[in-house]
Amino acid sequence: MAATVTAVVVGAAAWLQSTFNGQLPFFGTPQAANIAAQLGPLLSSSASVFTLGSSSFEEATARWQPWQSPSIDLVIKVATEADIEHTIRVANEHGKPFLAVSGGHGGTKGLSYVQEGLSIWMRGMTSVEIAEDGRSATVGGGILSGELAEAFSRAGKQNVVGACYCTGAVAPMLGGGHGWLQGRYGLMADNLISARLTLANATTITISETSHPDLFWAARGAGQNYGIVSSFEYKIYDKTPENEKWTYEVLTFRHHQLEDVYRVADTMIGGKDRIQPVELIHFTLWMRNPEVDTMNRVILFYLIYQGSSIPTKYTQPLHDLDPISATPPTTTDLLGVSDAVLVGKEGPFCAHSDTLALQRWPLSLASYEPISALRQTFDKLESLPPPHDNSAIILESYSLHGVQAVSDESTAFADRGGNMLVSPFIMYPFGDKGVDVQAEEYGKELRDILVNASGNPLNAYVNYASGFESQEELYGHEAWRLEKLRRLKREYDPENKFGYYVGIET
Ligand SMILES: Cc1cc2nc3c(=O)[nH]c(=O)nc-3n(C[C@H](O)[C@H](O)[C@H](O)COP(=O)(O)OP(=O)(O)OC[C@H]3O[C@@H](n4cnc5c(N)ncnc54)[C@H](O)[C@@H]3O)c2cc1C
Ligand SMILES: *[C@@H]1O[C@H](CO)[C@@H](O)[C@H](O)[C@H]1NC(C)=O
Ligand SMILES: *[C@@H]1O[C@H](CO)[C@@H](O)[C@H](O)[C@H]1NC(C)=O
């Protein structure tokens, strides 16, 4: 394409006029042009339309990583609930697939089923309003997790939000929503009071314990399948000098220390007994660090504690193992913890990329035992040849008190028992289909080693899913769960307009 169009960041009506007066060429399909023309006069003055070829279009469609990404030829940056309704209605009239986009960090196979799709870009809806009683907030559906944490903090408040600054807040919440404060307050889904949900037929309803309670149940664990959240009401708690401080240490171990490291880690969580205290979190990361070890991956151990110091009973056993290096204890705030684990605003895992593919193959484990399976998985990871040889595995052990204080049946989130989130990350330069398929095989194999050794069926956190999991693996092995989700799907989204994440198959 020879010509480039300057950014079309203007109110939709003005855009419409300038484009269709012939002042700007239009690079999308005729269908996209028709939809844009029809929507223009209906949208609010704060809404924008971005078309193929504009620089704003690039920004609006940038994704965390390129594997299985959706193909979009029209972006409607919505600013009001009515904008969402108009957009869905007009898209439906034209048989145009549409997809809500907030942070762009979703990465499932289903997203690639969106072809010549319309993005309902939620980034025009990021307001946060603290209720007068200080116990809840009303939040726009396009806010990022980090922005939400910042807004709460400015108001002297806090609650669980996704650990990564750059992911949306709604998408994590709809699939459960893990974060630093889940040990205290439960999952993000557990803190949802109500939401405004625009359905497939362009009608917006309120979901809560008292309004459409079945859909409210489904939205908390399988929510990507039923509608678009334009805003939501969320619990908040006071920040205090005691609860706002976090301290972490990062210890680096060599590959041969794996068994010793996980014997210690297993005592922290008490194996299957789950004695892990509410303040304690640890993440471990198996990755390359050539500055420390040019041959083998190292084991990074992030020991994280809510408080201004970490009790010696947790630090000492790790230091006794003689790590290659250990940072001094660092005291910070909630956002500082995200920075430490590389998912803060400027962190490498936060950023968008169209060149580095990153497949996730998640599973959950009840304990680190048998450690021999961790060893087998580590060695398999080490054996991956180029171009997959920079792959990594992350093991996240959050505190679970708040999560397990909520009953299993009360939400669609099916895996409150999983102690640990383990995710092989298969990384490689994007571009070759064969390399993608090879990566998929590696991901499956690494996951299978651990699942087989655990003796439990696979439970895969839907927000980390690759999309190659079964419905039961994502939404729960108890038959009643899927039956209920399927019934609701038939009722509220019979044409499967919201089937692109990891769809409920009716
Ligand atoms: C680096 C990284 C760190 C992560 N950290 C965490 C974490 O700490 N805790 C955690 O729980 N998860 C975490 N995740 C997983 C995260 O929850 C998912 O990747 C999630 O899909 C990201 O949401 P998004 O808005 O950024 O992505 P998007 O791709 O924009 O959206 C993902 C899905 O949600 C839908 N969606 C987006 N906005 C809305 C809306 N307003 N209403 C309805 N549907 C919507 C989209 O249509 C799409 O199907 C992390 C992911 C990455 C890549
Ligand atoms: C896991 O178990 C399945 C079923 O028994 C088997 O087919 C598969 O080869 C095993 N995979 C690994 C990696 O051990
Ligand atoms: C849209 O669907 C909902 C839920 O099925 C229903 O209550 C509502 O009446 C429908 N609206 C329209 C305009 O058909």
Side-chain angles (χ1 to χ4, degrees), residues 177-258:
H178 293 285
W180 306 126
L181 280 166
Q182 69 169 53
R184 293 235 172 254
Y185 306 126
L187 298 168
M188 291 188 76
D190 300 334
N191 289 280
L192 180 64
I193 301 168
S194 71
R196 293 285 293 164
L197 188 70
T198 308
L199 302 171
N201 67 4
T203 307
T204 305
I205 59 173
T206 297
I207 54 169
S208 70
E209 289 291 0
T210 52
S211 174
H212 299 277
D214 277 8
L215 209 44
F216 184 56
W217 173 87
R220 292 171 294 159
Q224 287 93 350
N225 294 292
Y226 299 96
I228 297 183
V229 171
S230 58
S231 66
F232 63 102
E233 204 189 342
Y234 201 64
K235 293 180 192 164
I236 49 175
Y237 300 95
D238 288 335
K239 226 169 41 159
T240 66
E242 292 75 47
N243 72 20
E244 70 176 332
K245 288 200 187 68
W246 291 76
T247 303
Y248 65 87
E249 284 187 29
V250 190
L251 302 96
T252 304
F253 294 94
R254 279 197 205 282
H255 63 103
H256 62 79
Q257 296 176 291
L258 179 141

Side-chain angles (χ1 to χ4, degrees), residues 23-245:
Q23 287 161 26
L24 281 171
F26 189 93
F27 289 129
T29 58
Q31 185 199 45
N34 287 338
I35 292 173
Q38 195 176 336
L39 270 174
L42 301 172
L43 297 175
S44 70
S45 59
S46 308
S48 308
V49 178
F50 302 141
T51 58
L52 268 174
S54 71
S55 58
S56 300
F57 183 88
E58 297 296 311
E59 189 205 332
T61 53
R63 301 201 60 85
W64 178 59
Q65 66 82 46
W67 175 68
Q68 304 286 9
S69 59
S71 141
I72 301 290
D73 68 4
L74 182 63
V75 176
I76 309 296
K77 185 178 184 184
V78 289
T80 65
E81 191 173 283
D83 287 341
I84 300 174
E85 292 175 342
H86 289 307
T87 305
I88 292 182
R89 191 170 42 72
V90 171
N92 283 343
E93 279 170 28
H94 291 262
K96 180 93 170 163
F98 58 84
L99 181 74
V101 176
S102 291
H105 279 53
T108 59
K109 183 173 68 167
L111 291 168
S112 70
Y113 303 156
V114 178
Q115 290 295 320
E116 291 188 9
L118 180 159
S119 162
I120 300 184
W121 199 34
M122 298 297 297
R123 296 290 292 143
M125 302 181 75
T126 60
S127 61
V128 179
E129 248 176 77
I130 307 287
E132 222 150 89
D133 67 5
R135 294 168 62 177
S136 66
T138 302
V139 183
I143 201 164
L144 301 182
S145 279
E147 292 170 344
L148 187 55
E150 282 173 344
F152 287 164
S153 181
R154 276 195 301 272
K157 304 290 177 182
Q158 61 178 10
N159 199 355
V160 60
V161 302
C164 178
Y165 187 102
C166 308
T167 62
V170 164
M173 177 176 74
L174 296 178
H178 293 285
W180 306 126
L181 280 166
Q182 69 169 53
R184 293 235 172 254
Y185 306 126
L187 298 168
M188 291 188 76
D190 300 334
N191 289 280
L192 180 64
I193 301 168
S194 71
R196 293 285 293 164
L197 188 70
T198 308
L199 302 171
N201 67 4
T203 307
T204 305
I205 59 173
T206 297
I207 54 169
S208 70
E209 289 291 0
T210 52
S211 174
H212 299 277
D214 277 8
L215 209 44
F216 184 56
W217 173 87
R220 292 171 294 159
Q224 287 93 350
N225 294 292
Y226 299 96
I228 297 183
V229 171
S230 58
S231 66
F232 63 102
E233 204 189 342
Y234 201 64
K235 293 180 192 164
I236 49 175
Y237 300 95
D238 288 335
K239 226 169 41 159
T240 66
E242 292 75 47
N243 72 20
E244 70 176 332
K245 288 200 187 68

Side-chain angles (χ1 to χ4, degrees), residues 106-431:
T108 59
K109 183 173 68 167
L111 291 168
S112 70
Y113 303 156
V114 178
Q115 290 295 320
E116 291 188 9
L118 180 159
S119 162
I120 300 184
W121 199 34
M122 298 297 297
R123 296 290 292 143
M125 302 181 75
T126 60
S127 61
V128 179
E129 248 176 77
I130 307 287
E132 222 150 89
D133 67 5
R135 294 168 62 177
S136 66
T138 302
V139 183
I143 201 164
L144 301 182
S145 279
E147 292 170 344
L148 187 55
E150 282 173 344
F152 287 164
S153 181
R154 276 195 301 272
K157 304 290 177 182
Q158 61 178 10
N159 199 355
V160 60
V161 302
C164 178
Y165 187 102
C166 308
T167 62
V170 164
M173 177 176 74
L174 296 178
H178 293 285
W180 306 126
L181 280 166
Q182 69 169 53
R184 293 235 172 254
Y185 306 126
L187 298 168
M188 291 188 76
D190 300 334
N191 289 280
L192 180 64
I193 301 168
S194 71
R196 293 285 293 164
L197 188 70
T198 308
L199 302 171
N201 67 4
T203 307
T204 305
I205 59 173
T206 297
I207 54 169
S208 70
E209 289 291 0
T210 52
S211 174
H212 299 277
D214 277 8
L215 209 44
F216 184 56
W217 173 87
R220 292 171 294 159
Q224 287 93 350
N225 294 292
Y226 299 96
I228 297 183
V229 171
S230 58
S231 66
F232 63 102
E233 204 189 342
Y234 201 64
K235 293 180 192 164
I236 49 175
Y237 300 95
D238 288 335
K239 226 169 41 159
T240 66
E242 292 75 47
N243 72 20
E244 70 176 332
K245 288 200 187 68
W246 291 76
T247 303
Y248 65 87
E249 284 187 29
V250 190
L251 302 96
T252 304
F253 294 94
R254 279 197 205 282
H255 63 103
H256 62 79
Q257 296 176 291
L258 179 141
E259 284 78 5
D260 293 338
V261 168
Y262 285 100
R263 267 191 289 274
V264 170
D266 213 44
T267 63
M268 285 183 191
I269 59 172
K272 294 184 168 118
D273 300 333
R274 302 209 181 88
I275 53 165
Q276 183 172 352
V278 69
E279 297 87 356
L280 182 68
I281 298 164
H282 64 269
F283 274 31
T284 49
L285 186 55
W286 306 347
M287 61 178 280
R288 293 202 180 282
N289 184 352
E291 282 168 31
V292 177
D293 189 330
T294 52
M295 295 292 292
N296 300 101
R297 284 173 179 73
V298 294
I299 301 165
L300 285 179
F301 199 113
Y302 293 92
L303 187 63
I304 300 164
Y305 198 82
Q306 191 181 19
S308 48
S309 66
I310 311 178
T312 320
K313 66 174 170 181
Y314 302 120
T315 54
Q316 197 59 49
L318 288 170
H319 285 275
D320 287 348
L321 296 179
D322 199 14
I324 315 172
S325 67
T327 63
T330 305
T331 300
T332 181
D333 60 7
L334 210 47
L335 286 149
V337 182
S338 296
D339 293 336
V341 302
L342 313 177
V343 294
K345 197 172 186 176
E346 312 297 337
F349 288 113
C350 211
H352 289 136
S353 169
D354 55 8
T355 52
L356 178 67
L358 228 161
Q359 303 184 9
R360 286 170 298 176
W361 293 83
L363 69 143
S364 75
L365 289 180
S367 89
Y368 291 117
E369 297 287 355
I371 292 175
S372 58
L374 297 179
R375 164 57 65 193
Q376 209 189 327
T377 310
F378 189 95
D379 289 348
K380 174 70 201 175
L381 178 69
E382 291 272 79
S383 77
L384 303 190
H388 302 102
D389 56 332
N390 278 317
S391 299
I393 295 187
I394 182 162
L395 300 91
E396 308 174 32
S397 179
Y398 288 107
S399 176
L400 289 171
H401 293 250
V403 179
Q404 295 184 342
V406 174
S407 80
D408 265 328
E409 309 75 43
S410 65
T411 70
F413 184 82
D415 188 26
R416 289 179 191 274
N419 237 350
M420 231 106 43
L421 285 165
V422 182
S423 307
F425 274 57
I426 312 297
M427 300 191 231
Y428 54 96
F430 186 65

